[in-house]
Amino acid sequence: MSILVLNAGSSSVKFGVFDFDTLEPTARGMLDWAGAARRATITLKPPHGEPVRQEIDAPDYRTGVIHALKMLKQCPPRLGDPSFVDRRFRVVGHRLIHGGEEIRRPVVIDAPMKKTIRRFIHLAPLHIPAGLEAIEAAETALPGVLQVGLFDTAFFADIPPAAYLYPVPYSWYEEWGIRRFGFHGTSHAYCTERAAEMLGAAPGSSRPLRLVICHLGQGSSATAVRDGVAITNTMGFTPLEGFMMGTRSGTVDPGILLYVLREKGLSVAELDDILHHKSGLLGISGLSSDFRQVEAAALAGHARARLAIDIYAYRVRTMIGALAVTLGGLDALVFTGGIGENSVWLRSEVCKGLECLGVHLDAQRNASVAPDGDVATGDSPARVLLIHTREDYMIAREARRLALESQHGGG
Ligand code: ADP
């Protein structure tokens, strides 16, 4: 039997197939609407061999997901070999971006739960509808198969009020629900467990473990974790707060926003578009939102690309400082995500100045060790870990757990 994992984003759906018993991945793929409207590209990657690509007519996620499942079933003989990809699905696990204040753990998705999820649409208007579409597509394509949801916000269910409340009128929280939620929780949860494993700190061990986890990808956030529990996350009410990102501004003085609205005649829609799509690495460099490209340009002498990297590193470094202080010190700094796992330069820039927190990066190890590994010097009081994040594995694992529980619960 297999587990299907669906991770629906704003313009793509990533999917993965895992063996139910071993949790080994057997196939993965992606549905991408980046090209022509109503056309999607499906890429299916078996664990061995070449990816299979197909262009399809898919006006929506539902059609796309149904097509991807058909493709998985029809791909003979390599993918059609049942010993290779078992297409008998026992459970489907969905990544969902927002569970509001209510959803604190993985859930079985049934009709009332879908209704609950719909209540969070205003909190993530691009992602929640995509997740719901993926759920409905899976219900159609795999009728009767258990569906499970993992919510990115759930890992932050225990952050204290001092960290989740904003210093605005308290009624904003009471009446409008404005508070910090935190995002990327599935990745931060995986890295928390993996870091403890790498450091030999078993859950419940006497030594408290203080981690700052930096997930640096197209979207970026950091989490302070004490003994496996998230204390705070740099993203807030929305995923716009915190680090500078590919195209997102991250934290800026709210007075700037008032100023450009009032004095410069920007509309709310224009400001929204600028802060989400025209800021960050793209906004400063004027070149690209892709870190690799900005880094290459900076190394080739492009002044604004260099400035973008400097601002990026400065902001990551200062937020690590704030989070480490929240924890009262640091046992390990974790880098994950496309940038965190791969950019030797960024890691070295970020760690400059973190010696005061006991972070001593080993330049040679930083340049040569691939995730998962430790790149701190032998005598560094705080370890520096590179971890390849595995959100899909976390979803598969929790989906399996709930499938087994529901089997036992049902007798
Ligand atoms: P997402 O947040 O969409 O999952 P990723 O975690 O894959 O994104 O991160 C994408 C970012 O990682 C891009 O900005 C990309 O340029 C950057 N990246 C990927 N590989 C490298 C590399 N070798 N060096 C520097 N940056 C990299």
Side-chain angles (χ1 to χ4, degrees):
M1 300 290 277
S2 285
I3 304 164
L4 176 66
V5 170
L6 292 178
N7 180 349
S10 53
S11 66
S12 68
V13 180
K14 291 181 191 158
F15 57 93
V17 183
F18 291 78
D19 182 87
F20 188 85
D21 296 318
T22 64
L23 288 176
E24 284 299 317
T26 53
R28 66 198 163 90
M30 181 154 162
L31 271 150
D32 196 342
W33 278 264
R38 303 175 70 84
R39 297 279 291 170
T41 308
I42 305 183
T43 312
L44 190 60
K45 290 184 188 141
H48 312 288
E50 291 303 305
V52 188
R53 227 171 239 113
Q54 202 179 322
E55 277 238 354
I56 55 156
D57 276 322
D60 50 31
Y61 279 23
R62 194 188 173 92
T63 326
V65 170
I66 291 170
H67 225 98
L69 288 175
K70 272 196 194 140
M71 190 169 158
L72 195 63
K73 282 188 180 169
Q74 285 168 1
C75 247
R78 209 174 38 208
L79 289 166
D81 176 0
S83 67
F84 194 41
V85 178
D86 188 338
R87 296 146 303 159
R88 294 167 302 154
F89 290 104
R90 169 88 181 269
V91 57
V92 183
H94 295 270
R95 177 184 177 200
L96 294 157
I97 233 86
H98 219 303
E101 277 195 314
E102 282 159 63
I103 302 185
R104 301 169 64 93
R105 51 188 60 83
V107 296
V108 168
I109 298 170
D110 50 16
M113 182 49 68
K114 280 199 283 183
K115 227 169 156 179
T116 304
I117 297 169
R118 267 193 204 101
R119 292 215 315 270
F120 307 132
I121 287 180
H122 69 285
L123 294 169
L126 291 180
H127 287 88
I128 301 259
L132 284 165
E133 262 199 73
I135 290 169
E136 277 164 11
E139 282 172 350
T140 312
L142 300 168
V145 175
L146 182 74
Q147 311 242 6
V148 165
L150 241 80
F151 294 79
D152 264 20
T153 45
F155 187 54
F156 308 110
D158 295 315
I159 65 176
Y164 74 66
L165 286 172
Y166 291 97
V168 288
Y170 191 72
S171 58
W172 286 22
Y173 169 62
E174 284 182 311
E175 290 166 27
W176 297 339
I178 292 179
R179 54 160 288 173
R180 178 185 307 285
F181 289 106
F183 295 88
H184 288 138
T186 309
S187 171
H188 289 294
Y190 174 77
C191 290
T192 297
E193 287 186 22
R194 182 74 184 111
E197 195 177 273
M198 288 168 77
L199 298 169
S205 74
S206 56
R207 180 174 156 240
L209 187 58
R210 298 159 302 176
L211 304 172
V212 170
I213 300 167
C214 294
H215 176 113
L216 308 176
Q218 192 56 25
S220 301
S221 72
T223 300
V225 179
R226 185 186 292 121
D227 285 337
V229 178
I231 302 301
T232 192
N233 176 257
T234 54
M235 283 180 165
F237 179 62
T238 73
L240 193 53
E241 194 181 349
F243 291 149
M244 165 181 181
M245 302 176 222
T247 60
R248 280 174 262 174
S249 63
T251 297
V252 293
D253 173 2
I256 298 171
L257 314 181
L258 298 175
Y259 174 78
V260 296
L261 285 173
R262 202 173 43 219
E263 303 291 332
K264 298 297 170 191
L266 254 62
S267 69
V268 171
E270 283 167 333
L271 184 56
D272 185 319
D273 184 44
I274 290 169
L275 295 175
H276 281 96
H277 306 297
K278 295 180 179 151
S279 299
L281 289 171
L282 176 65
I284 296 292
S285 73
L287 286 179
S288 171
S289 62
D290 188 278
F291 191 88
R292 216 174 337 189
Q293 288 181 20
V294 177
E295 187 177 53
L299 290 169
H302 190 287
R304 281 224 269 127
R306 172 74 213 214
L307 183 61
I309 304 270
D310 287 347
I311 301 172
Y312 193 101
Y314 172 82
R315 295 192 147 224
V316 174
R317 193 186 311 123
T318 51
M319 286 193 204
I320 290 171
L323 295 184
V325 170
T326 312
L327 293 168
L330 192 62
D331 295 306
L333 173 62
V334 176
F335 286 103
T336 191
I339 302 168
E341 290 171 35
N342 294 302
S343 177
V344 172
W345 188 27
L346 193 268
R347 290 196 299 261
S348 116
E349 287 298 300
V350 165
C351 290
K352 276 181 197 159
L354 292 184
E355 294 82 3
C356 60
L357 294 173
V359 175
H360 296 271
L361 192 71
D362 183 316
Q364 223 174 8
R365 291 183 62 74
N366 184 40
S368 58
V369 171
D372 298 351
D374 185 338
V375 294
T377 59
D379 58 0
S380 174
R383 310 314 304 162
V384 181
L385 305 180
L386 314 186
I387 296 180
H388 174 57
T389 194
R390 293 183 66 199
E391 289 158 305
D392 287 0
Y393 164 82
M394 283 299 270
I395 299 168
R397 192 185 76 182
E398 292 305 296
R400 175 171 171 246
R401 189 177 59 75
L402 284 190
L404 292 172
E405 264 179 35
S406 76
Q407 179 190 19
H408 296 138

